Amino acid sequence: MKKKILKKSVCASLCFGLVISSLSGTTGLFRTASPVSVSANEEMAHDPSRDVQKDGVGNPFNYGERNTPENGTDEEIRAINHKMTVQEVKYCLYKEIDEHWDLIRVRFGQDNREMVYALFLGLGTRESTLGGNGDGADIETAHSEGFGVSSAHAYGTMQTAVTAFLDCNPTFMKEDDVPEMFQYSLTHANFYDAVISNHMGIRKCIHFIRSAIVDYNLEGYQIVRGALKAFNTGWANYTGEDDGYYKNYPDEIISLARWYYEEGHLYDNVFTWTNDEKVSKYRQGNVWEWWGDGVPSLAEISTEPQPPVSETPEPDSTLKGDVNLDGKIDVTDLSVLSLTLADKKELSPQAKINADVTGDSNVNLADLATLRQFLSKIITAFP
């Protein structure tokens, strides 16, 4: 008999007392949301002159298809994810949203890219508080029985469960109906990688959007609402307005999402948490009215899913800043250098040469700061 997914959500230690409001059941046309505001351009990691709605944020932290080395140990992989700031966690989500925007826009029925950013910040907050407790993307739940044994075993910003992955326990319900997005196999290196976890979490949501439409004939915003409920419970069916699954999960997510959007916290290090009192005003009335009246659709998307390219590290790489010797400079190099300076990782001779981005023949905190400035595009070249 197939096992139903039942995943206990992560509540941040900062949580206040329960603050819940019910939906009013209002129907009809929804209003158009106002453009997002950001209090200061310097809070953004991306170029503020970009047309985000058209082009996305542009991956300013240079995330690749992985955030961590494919051959790293669980400890090394999780240590890299653990060091991510709240802002890095946010942009790591945006990278995957931008990469699959055409698909997400159609499936979620939402053309406003920043509102979709906010929705996933709401989901990431409901599950992990976006690393705001100092964990980065390094959050794991329901793992006590062993790796992949429990259908609730989950990891990352969105707490993506093992059920999302290919080759997981065959008794779990399959999530193989999203052909537009590559489905990673369940391995330690894939499961514990922050970028892959986000990829599979988005894919999981789309799987349940399809279920809400095909299996339960939901319409309008109830499709997205039902899909989010299913992300937590395994079932996208409608169960009534008084059901706690809605109030405590999808309705809380959309309220948190609106807070990020309306308060201008899409691009900074500011975060909220589940049942945070400062979000109370966004929990009033029909909380989904904010989302708009777009229609989620299963219309065909022309893009084909592409498997990730497996890159073999080049021992003779002489690229300044390429600390992990994979031929490119990205956030993984920053993480490896940070671990090195914390005496948790030894660099090869060539890696030490590449890590000396200041050119003073030493590898120290100055190199870490300079590399961070380079990746954040504060500087465009090393000294």
Side-chain angles (χ1 to χ4, degrees):
M1 184 176 180
K2 295 181 178 179
K3 293 183 180 179
K4 180 173 70 173
I5 308 165
L6 184 59
K7 178 160 67 67
K8 183 177 180 181
S9 301
V10 178
C11 287
S13 61
L14 296 173
C15 287
F16 290 140
L18 189 62
V19 181
I20 302 172
S21 61
S22 64
L23 284 171
S24 66
T26 303
T27 59
L29 293 177
F30 293 154
R31 71 174 181 83
T32 302
S34 58
V36 68
S37 61
V38 177
S39 56
N41 286 344
E42 58 265 28
E43 293 178 345
M44 300 180 179
H46 67 277
D47 179 357
S49 69
R50 288 181 65 89
D51 184 346
V52 172
Q53 297 292 354
K54 179 176 180 292
D55 302 318
V57 294
N59 193 18
F61 290 103
N62 296 303
Y63 292 110
E65 294 309 305
R66 307 186 63 88
N67 187 49
T68 56
E70 190 170 5
N71 60 351
T73 66
D74 290 358
E75 291 75 18
E76 289 172 336
I77 291 172
R78 295 189 61 173
I80 291 171
N81 296 334
H82 194 82
K83 289 183 176 292
M84 294 173 71
T85 66
V86 171
Q87 186 186 54
E88 288 170 339
V89 168
K90 290 178 179 180
Y91 277 89
C92 189
L93 270 173
Y94 302 161
K95 180 263 182 187
E96 285 299 315
I97 293 170
D98 289 345
E99 188 169 315
H100 302 284
W101 174 242
D102 288 340
L103 174 66
I104 293 169
R105 176 182 60 82
V106 172
R107 294 292 180 265
F108 282 78
Q110 180 57 262
D111 290 326
N112 187 320
R113 194 188 300 245
E114 289 182 315
M115 289 180 71
V116 174
Y117 287 170
L119 181 74
F120 279 97
L121 291 188
L123 176 55
T125 297
R126 182 63 183 83
E127 289 289 3
S128 67
T129 315
L130 303 178
N133 290 324
D135 299 305
D138 182 36
I139 300 287
E140 184 179 18
T141 55
H143 57 280
S144 59
E145 297 176 49
F147 182 82
V149 175
S150 169
S151 61
H153 184 193
Y155 186 78
T157 300
M158 292 188 284
Q159 286 294 278
T160 303
V162 297
T163 54
F165 289 81
L166 186 67
D167 305 323
C168 66
N169 188 319
T171 67
F172 299 157
M173 292 186 293
K174 295 185 181 299
E175 300 180 14
D176 55 2
D177 56 355
V178 188
E180 302 89 354
M181 291 182 70
F182 184 79
Q183 187 175 24
Y184 288 86
S185 292
L186 181 60
T187 66
H188 287 252
N190 289 341
F191 182 74
Y192 289 116
D193 185 272
V195 170
I196 292 177
S197 179
N198 287 342
H199 174 98
M200 297 303 289
I202 292 170
R203 191 182 187 280
K204 186 180 187 73
C205 285
I206 293 175
H207 158 73
F208 284 120
I209 282 177
R210 178 179 293 275
S211 177
I213 295 173
V214 174
D215 299 328
Y216 301 109
N217 301 310
L218 299 186
E219 297 180 348
Y221 75 89
Q222 294 285 8
I223 294 172
V224 178
R225 191 181 184 215
L228 290 175
K229 179 179 79 74
F231 193 94
N232 186 50
T233 68
W235 307 103
N237 58 319
Y238 179 75
T239 53
E241 289 302 307
D242 293 330
D243 189 275
Y245 283 132
Y246 283 112
K247 294 178 182 179
N248 299 339
Y249 201 80
D251 294 354
E252 176 68 4
I253 287 170
I254 200 66
S255 300
L256 295 167
R258 187 176 180 184
W259 180 86
Y260 282 107
Y261 186 89
E262 299 283 4
E263 303 291 332
H265 294 306
L266 294 183
Y267 304 118
D268 54 24
N269 270 299
V270 179
F271 65 98
T272 183
W273 49 90
T274 304
N275 301 320
D276 182 358
E277 291 181 349
K278 66 173 174 277
V279 184
S280 293
K281 67 178 180 179
Y282 299 122
R283 298 188 182 99
Q284 308 305 313
N286 184 352
V287 295
W288 283 90
E289 185 176 14
W290 169 74
W291 181 247
D293 56 358
V295 180
S297 170
L298 298 180
E300 183 177 352
I301 306 297
S302 60
T303 55
E304 292 286 334
Q306 298 296 324
V309 177
S310 179
E311 298 182 1
T312 303
E314 301 174 10
D316 59 346
S317 172
T318 56
L319 179 63
K320 189 69 74 175
D322 178 21
V323 184
N324 68 343
L325 304 178
D326 65 353
K328 59 186 179 183
I329 307 171
D330 57 26
V331 70
T332 305
D333 298 297
L334 190 69
S335 299
V336 172
L337 180 54
S338 179
L339 287 173
T340 299
L341 295 175
D343 295 325
K344 295 182 179 180
K345 190 175 182 67
E346 183 69 27
L347 293 181
S348 69
Q350 184 60 57
K352 288 181 180 178
I353 294 173
N354 292 358
D356 178 23
V357 294
T358 61
D360 64 356
S361 300
N362 294 304
V363 177
N364 51 35
L365 290 174
D367 298 293
L368 185 68
T370 302
L371 183 56
R372 183 181 292 276
Q373 289 178 329
F374 179 82
L375 291 173
S376 301
K377 301 189 181 343
I378 297 173
I379 61 174
T380 58
F382 295 122

